[in-house]
Amino acid sequence: MAKGLKKLLLKTAAVSAAFAMTAAVLPASGGADLFSGLITAEAATTVTTWDDLWMEMMMGGDIVLGADITGGISSSPLEVFEGTTVNLDLNGKTINRGMTTATKTGQVFINGGTLTISDSVGTGKITGGWHISVGAIKNLYGATLNLRGGTITGNTAGNGGVSEGGAISNSGTVNIYGGTISGNKATYGGAIFNDGNDSGTVNMYGGTITGNQALAGAGIYCQPGTSLYISGGTITSNNATVDAYGRSGAGIYSFTDVYLSGAPTIYGNNDNDKDNDFSTANNIVASQIILLNKLNSGAKIGYFKDEAGVFTKNWNTFMGSASPADYFVSDNAKLSVSSSLSSSNEAQMVTGGGQQTVQYYTVTFDNNGGSGTMESRIADSISLFQLPECKFTPPAGMVFDKWDLGAENASVKISGDTTVKAIWKSDGSSTVTKYKINFANGGGSGTMAEDTVEAGQKYELPKCTFTPPEGKEFDKWDRGAAGEKIDIYANTTITAIWKDKAAVKYKINFANGGGSGTMAEDTVEAGQKYELPKCTFTPPEGKEFDKWDRGAAGEKIDIYANTTITAIWKDKAVTKYTVTFANGGG
């Protein structure tokens, strides 16, 4: 089709669609359509500019990015009209809205039809959106957004007021099958805001929601009247700072019932250095966890409940007598998930216990001679931390190479407050002498990528990422301590030096579970089995000791963190005596 004719038809379609938009409520899906939205190469149109992408999306059909595409304040959001279907393959490329301030048209996408986003290469990104109140993607009432791949990152909702959905503000239906939503910000719903005014529905079958920030619901925030179904995927390392009403739910905050099945991971999210993976507003409206089907092995869900009691529905229907403690952990340090069911055969929380202690760390970023700043992020002691895209401006003649802990989007373990440094490489515009630096593990295992340093420049010794020999930990390099700057005059091999590993010990406390008295704190070395002791608490009246909530006295168990072990009591056995009679001479 000729470009002129195509533009004329586009204008006609745009005007017609603007007056014809009506909304239809889409039912919540209980299972994923694994094949809709897949692109056939022969049918796809390849685009390389913002204007061409805008036009093709208005027309509908299969679209493949052929280059990185950047918009700007003067560009219009990419729009899909009602009744139009667009299947977009990022193809490893980046769509950058390019906003430097919040505007009324700062979204990347406005979807009124059916939009499927995939990424056949695996490095595609959607970034740079900044709207005054909603997310990078505004999914309208009656519209369907399918996420199958790519990363939605670095988008912001709001400009001082209340904002909703850093990545997605949803009034229709969002189906998440894959991809990543990370590093987005809003007041509510750092990643996704589910709008109750239009009964928004979110179905999560896979994918990852991580590293987003908000006052409440940093991962997903659901208003009353919305629907949330989760059967897979991961929601982790999102950070909430708590709103004026005390609402948090760093992973999920929901005013409505949340339906679970399959093997989702909702864990490692926090508010102000406390675990708060998942909260429902039980004190405001009736909302709870409802099992839509069986939870599978591997499901791990942190849940915050204010008071002891039942927190699920349909447990007995789908899980039978399975232990809720194998799937849920309590984010309230005063409560623990009971391994036994309530009188109504539902999962319950009981007083005492609480989940293992999780440490939270601040990750800051050093431009290492470049310019600009990047906001710090939160990592925790359980989850892997995803290294973000570098937003620094490189030094003259240089381009970004990697972080000193790995490449962009690499997942790494953080064990304390950490500064991550940008590593630059020449852009090829000048010729300089560089020396190669290799790393030897010195008896450990694993590899570290080769590095380079320009002649005449100091080289900063990096952190060691080798796996240490058994019983050892990293001491220093044979050229100095990590972080020390040294002179390099030729191609060099630097070797790791190890030292004996300090023994790690975990504290063990005991809770009386309703009895009385105290038991002294105990310790166990990491990696050693711990033998559960005899109970010396005084039992409640009419009760006797049954077992600990981690097993029977004398049983040896694994301990992975500071732990509280709670006594479980049972009704005391009744002692019976036999009475016989003598005839006394009769």
Side-chain angles (χ1 to χ4, degrees):
M1 181 183 295
K3 283 285 184 183
L5 177 58
K6 198 168 190 180
K7 288 183 178 179
L8 177 61
L9 291 175
L10 173 61
K11 290 179 180 179
T12 303
V15 172
S16 299
F19 287 98
M21 295 180 74
T22 57
V25 177
L26 294 176
S29 172
D33 176 0
L34 298 178
F35 302 103
S36 66
L38 299 181
I39 293 179
T40 303
E42 292 80 4
T45 300
T46 300
V47 297
T48 57
T49 69
W50 187 276
D51 288 344
D52 283 349
L53 178 57
W54 180 86
M55 183 176 69
E56 293 297 336
M57 291 190 67
M58 297 277 272
M59 295 290 291
D62 294 350
I63 304 170
V64 176
L65 295 188
D68 293 339
I69 293 176
T70 301
I73 292 179
S74 61
S75 302
S76 298
L78 304 166
E79 190 162 359
V80 180
F81 281 150
E82 180 187 0
T84 301
T85 297
V86 172
N87 301 316
L88 174 63
D89 179 4
L90 298 178
N91 193 31
K93 305 300 189 293
T94 295
I95 297 176
N96 185 352
R97 182 70 177 86
M99 301 303 294
T100 57
T101 187
T103 72
K104 293 181 179 180
T105 57
Q107 310 100 322
V108 184
F109 296 101
I110 301 174
N111 179 38
T114 300
L115 171 61
T116 299
I117 298 173
S118 60
D119 181 21
S120 58
V121 174
T123 56
K125 297 175 186 175
I126 296 169
T127 190
W130 193 355
H131 186 274
I132 60 172
S133 62
V134 301
I137 302 177
K138 177 59 180 174
N139 198 49
L140 300 174
Y141 178 59
T144 299
L145 173 64
N146 301 311
L147 298 180
R148 298 187 175 279
T151 299
I152 304 175
T153 185
N155 302 284
T156 302
N159 189 26
V162 174
S163 60
E164 301 168 341
I168 301 169
S169 181
N170 175 51
S171 298
T173 299
V174 174
N175 299 311
I176 305 174
Y177 304 103
T180 299
I181 304 176
S182 68
N184 304 284
K185 296 180 182 178
T187 307
Y188 296 105
I192 300 174
F193 180 85
N194 212 14
D195 195 335
N197 295 321
D198 297 313
S199 302
T201 296
V202 173
N203 303 306
M204 187 171 182
Y205 309 109
T208 300
I209 297 175
T210 184
N212 302 284
Q213 298 181 39
L215 294 183
I220 301 175
Y221 186 96
C222 292
Q223 285 190 316
T226 59
S227 299
L228 177 58
Y229 299 82
I230 304 178
S231 61
T234 298
I235 301 175
T236 188
S237 297
N238 299 286
N239 183 38
T241 52
V242 186
D243 71 1
Y245 305 98
R247 297 181 297 223
S248 173
I252 298 172
Y253 190 86
S254 179
F255 282 92
T256 188
D257 296 334
V258 177
Y259 295 83
L260 298 181
S261 62
T265 297
I266 308 170
Y267 198 65
N269 304 279
N270 74 94
D271 73 70
N272 295 324
D273 294 341
K274 299 190 304 295
D275 297 302
N276 199 327
D277 296 290
F278 181 0
S279 295
T280 50
N282 293 318
N283 59 331
I284 302 174
V285 294
S287 53
Q288 61 183 319
I289 293 173
I290 300 178
L291 296 192
L292 193 63
N293 211 321
K294 182 179 180 181
L295 290 175
N296 299 331
S297 175
K300 187 173 186 180
I301 303 156
Y303 184 68
F304 184 90
K305 185 171 172 61
D306 289 319
E307 299 176 351
V310 167
F311 65 94
T312 65
K313 187 175 181 180
N314 294 342
W315 184 273
N316 190 51
T317 301
F318 295 111
M319 303 301 293
S321 60
S323 170
D326 290 339
Y327 303 89
F328 288 94
V329 294
S330 171
D331 285 337
N332 186 339
K334 298 179 181 179
L335 304 177
S336 61
V337 177
S338 176
S339 57
S340 58
L341 303 181
S342 69
S343 59
S344 58
N345 290 320
E346 294 293 339
Q348 61 179 339
M349 290 190 185
V350 295
T351 303
Q355 76 168 64
Q356 61 180 305
T357 301
V358 181
Q359 299 295 323
Y360 294 97
Y361 311 117
T362 301
V363 180
T364 55
F365 302 93
D366 182 346
N367 61 30
N368 192 25
S371 58
T373 60
M374 288 179 61
E375 290 191 6
S376 61
R377 296 194 179 186
I378 300 297
D380 65 72
S381 58
I382 294 178
S383 310
L384 292 177
F385 177 78
Q386 186 178 39
L387 294 170
E389 180 182 1
C390 179
K391 298 292 186 179
F392 294 132
T393 300
M398 309 292 280
V399 294
F400 181 75
D401 182 19
K402 59 185 177 182
W403 299 106
D404 62 350
L405 293 186
E408 290 177 323
N409 298 316
S411 295
V412 297
K413 189 67 176 175
I414 301 294
S415 56
D417 291 344
T418 301
T419 297
V420 181
K421 181 173 295 187
I423 305 298
W424 310 104
K425 62 182 179 181
S426 172
D427 64 3
S429 61
S430 60
T431 302
V432 294
T433 301
K434 289 188 176 183
Y435 300 124
K436 294 181 180 179
I437 300 170
N438 290 291
F439 301 91
N441 58 34
S445 58
T447 59
M448 287 181 61
E450 176 183 279
D451 206 351
T452 60
V453 62
E454 290 185 9
Q457 299 295 315
K458 292 279 189 179
Y459 178 72
E460 183 173 328
L461 292 168
K463 294 182 179 179
C464 176
T465 59
F466 290 128
T467 300
E470 186 172 353
K472 300 286 187 179
E473 60 184 4
F474 181 73
D475 184 14
K476 58 184 178 181
W477 299 105
D478 63 350
R479 297 291 301 274
E484 184 178 342
K485 294 182 178 181
I486 63 172
D487 294 310
I488 299 290
Y489 301 106
N491 295 338
T492 302
T493 296
I494 298 174
T495 303
I497 305 296
W498 310 101
K499 63 181 178 181
D500 291 334
K501 188 174 183 180
V504 176
K505 291 187 177 183
Y506 300 126
K507 294 180 181 180
I508 300 170
N509 290 291
F510 301 90
N512 58 34
S516 59
T518 59
M519 286 180 63
E521 176 182 281
D522 204 356
T523 60
V524 63
E525 284 190 11
Q528 300 296 314
K529 292 279 188 179
Y530 178 72
E531 183 175 332
L532 293 169
K534 292 182 179 180
C535 176
T536 60
F537 290 128
T538 300
E541 186 173 351
K543 301 285 187 178
E544 62 183 4
F545 181 74
D546 182 13
K547 59 184 178 181
W548 299 104
D549 63 350
R550 297 293 299 274
E555 183 179 342
K556 294 183 178 181
I557 63 172
D558 293 312
I559 299 290
Y560 300 107
N562 295 339
T563 302
T564 297
I565 297 174
T566 304
I568 306 296
W569 308 101
K570 63 182 179 180
D571 291 335
K572 190 173 183 179
V574 177
T575 303
K576 294 184 178 181
Y577 303 104
T578 301
V579 180
T580 58
F581 300 88
N583 57 29

